[in-house]
Amino acid sequence: MDWYSSRDPEWKKQLIKHINAEREITNERVPVMALSTVDVEGHPAVRMVSPRGFVGDGFLRISATDSGQWTSDVLTFCTHAQSNKVRELVNTNEVQLVFWLPNVRVQVRCSGHAHMLFHPENPNYSTLSLDIRRRMRPRDGSDAECQGRRDERRESIAAGGPVEPDVCGEMDTEFIREQAYLNHSPVIQAWYAWPAPGRVRLSDPSLYPATIPQIDDKAEAEKYEANARRNYVLVFVDINKVDFVNLDESTRTQYVRRGDTSWSITEVNP
């Protein structure tokens, strides 16, 4: 989350600007954010998670052929396939993410819907329920032409016509998920090979390797690596409302999605 495009919505530009300012003070890689869900009993559940970034930015390229020409406002985080978060998001996928940047005195609340992408070999696997193409836009400003072609493509499909390829960008969601996994440290990757989070810890220390490359037995290492990849879930958050508070400036701005790539902006009392 180091940079943004002039084509991005204003709230994303401001968020990344203030994250970068916070990082200059703390030297942290990326500030964590609070994720609020609803548990299976209807109670609020909040925990801290690390954002993986916005689809199209940094290492989250949309396909192997993407050279960085795409950007979006779809924010991602990851989780273990057997975590409580997964059960909660299956029950209801409405979420809120909160960034608190104490040194620059900024709070950002992002509300939206979470869409999970499991590994193809995971029993819960299905194609991503969010059409990310509707949230993508090219960095070079040629989105008007692309949007027109996509509208024609959707109309053709709706009318029962031929399904033409999307000429405005190949989308490979499994490639995005794999890149998110590979850009974790070996320590974090190993966590996904561990037993289900939130359960009673087992007595066998071999079930909790510090890193997978440290496992001497090659067959065992391959087993743990495969298990880690199967358990890795990338969550795409389709944000529809942002509440941005800047305490230093005594301002509060609300952004509400109006369309695929457009937002309304309202200044409200802090």
Side-chain angles (χ1 to χ4, degrees), residues 4 47 51 62 74 77 93 97 101 129 137 155 179 223-224 235 238 265 268:
Y4 53 84
R47 78 287 283 161
I62 66 172
V74 178
F77 66 90
N93 72 338
L97 304 168
L101 309 174
S129 55
R137 60 194 311 168
E155 291 172 3
Q179 294 309 301
K223 183 183 73 173
Y224 276 95
V235 185
D238 189 25
I265 304 175
V268 301

Side-chain angles (χ1 to χ4, degrees), residues 80 188-195 207 209 212 224-225 227-228 231:
H80 193 290
I188 301 298
Q189 289 178 359
W191 287 357
Y192 290 93
W194 290 9
L207 297 174
I212 295 173
Y224 276 95
E225 176 69 20
N227 198 35
N231 283 327

Side-chain angles (χ1 to χ4, degrees), residues 10 73-74 110 119 149 156 219 239 252 254 257-258 264:
E10 185 62 27
D73 51 36
V74 178
C110 303
H119 188 278
R149 293 183 181 182
S156 175
I239 297 169
R252 181 179 178 185
Q254 293 182 340
R257 186 184 292 280
R258 294 189 306 181
S264 66

Side-chain angles (χ1 to χ4, degrees), residues 126-249:
S126 64
T127 56
L128 189 66
S129 55
L130 171 65
D131 184 1
I132 302 179
R133 290 182 179 85
R134 298 177 67 92
R135 303 292 187 243
M136 304 300 300
R137 60 194 311 168
R139 298 182 190 277
D140 62 8
S142 59
D143 52 325
E145 179 182 358
C146 278
Q147 189 60 52
R149 293 183 181 182
R150 283 177 176 155
D151 289 343
E152 292 176 1
R153 183 174 182 269
R154 281 196 291 269
E155 291 172 3
S156 175
I157 294 172
V163 180
E164 301 292 339
D166 188 346
V167 296
C168 294
E170 176 188 358
M171 175 70 67
D172 185 347
T173 54
E174 178 53 27
F175 177 84
I176 301 172
R177 196 192 67 83
E178 179 74 1
Q179 294 309 301
Y181 173 80
L182 292 175
N183 275 275
H184 283 295
S185 70
V187 172
I188 301 298
Q189 289 178 359
W191 287 357
Y192 290 93
W194 290 9
R199 313 302 194 273
V200 175
R201 190 177 180 94
L202 303 174
S203 59
D204 184 356
S206 69
L207 297 174
Y208 304 91
T211 67
I212 295 173
Q214 290 180 355
I215 300 174
D216 294 331
D217 187 301
K218 183 178 179 181
E220 279 294 297
E222 291 177 350
K223 183 183 73 173
Y224 276 95
E225 176 69 20
N227 198 35
R229 289 173 180 269
R230 280 194 297 270
N231 283 327
Y232 188 79
V233 182
L234 188 62
V235 185
F236 299 76
V237 182
D238 189 25
I239 297 169
N240 53 45
K241 183 177 181 180
V242 178
D243 192 303
F244 202 109
V245 178
N246 188 321
L247 295 178
D248 278 345
E249 299 178 359

Side-chain angles (χ1 to χ4, degrees), residues 4-18:
Y4 53 84
S5 164
S6 62
R7 312 291 299 173
D8 285 320
E10 185 62 27
W11 68 262
K12 178 182 171 183
K13 297 176 188 176
Q14 291 298 317
L15 173 61
I16 295 179
K17 170 187 170 182
H18 286 90

